[in-house]
Amino acid sequence: PDVTAVKAQPHTLHLRSGSAAVRYTPDFAIERAAPSGDGRRTTIVEVKPEVFAGEPEQAQRLRLVAAAYDHVGLAFMLATDTWIHGGC
């Protein structure tokens, strides 16, 4: 897909997980001229070391964030250091 824009830390989400307030700022937003295979034009990208992404608290937070983006029609992608160094 043709990438038309890459935005660093494009916004901050304010979410709730039970009684806890959760703030989340993604690393990047990638916008395309045409939808990707899932029909979405924008993908929100979080870059994180795999060792941290697998921690239970972090994994729960990322699931919450992914669900919030899915709810508004945006794709969410976790790019770990292992994935990046593995050649994507």
Side-chain angles (χ1 to χ4, degrees), residues 1 3-11 24 26-46 69-70 73-79 83:
V3 173
T4 58
V6 176
K7 298 176 183 176
Q9 298 184 329
H11 55 262
Y24 171 76
D27 292 310
F28 300 98
I30 299 171
E31 297 177 11
R32 296 176 195 80
S36 62
D38 64 3
R40 299 175 187 197
R41 290 182 186 268
T42 302
T43 299
I44 304 300
V45 181
E46 177 67 18
Y69 284 121
D70 186 57
L74 299 175
F76 177 77
M77 174 185 163
L78 173 63
W83 182 83

Side-chain angles (χ1 to χ4, degrees), residues 15-83:
L15 306 169
R16 297 213 59 79
S17 179
S19 62
V22 176
R23 288 183 52 192
Y24 171 76
T25 302
D27 292 310
F28 300 98
I30 299 171
E31 297 177 11
R32 296 176 195 80
S36 62
D38 64 3
R40 299 175 187 197
R41 290 182 186 268
T42 302
T43 299
I44 304 300
V45 181
E46 177 67 18
V47 179
K48 192 158 296 300
E50 191 162 336
V51 65
F52 297 131
E55 293 177 354
E57 183 177 313
Q58 191 62 241
Q60 178 181 354
R61 177 182 169 93
L62 292 172
R63 283 191 299 273
L64 174 71
V65 167
Y69 284 121
D70 186 57
H71 182 72
V72 296
L74 299 175
F76 177 77
M77 174 185 163
L78 173 63
T80 66
D81 54 336
T82 303
W83 182 83

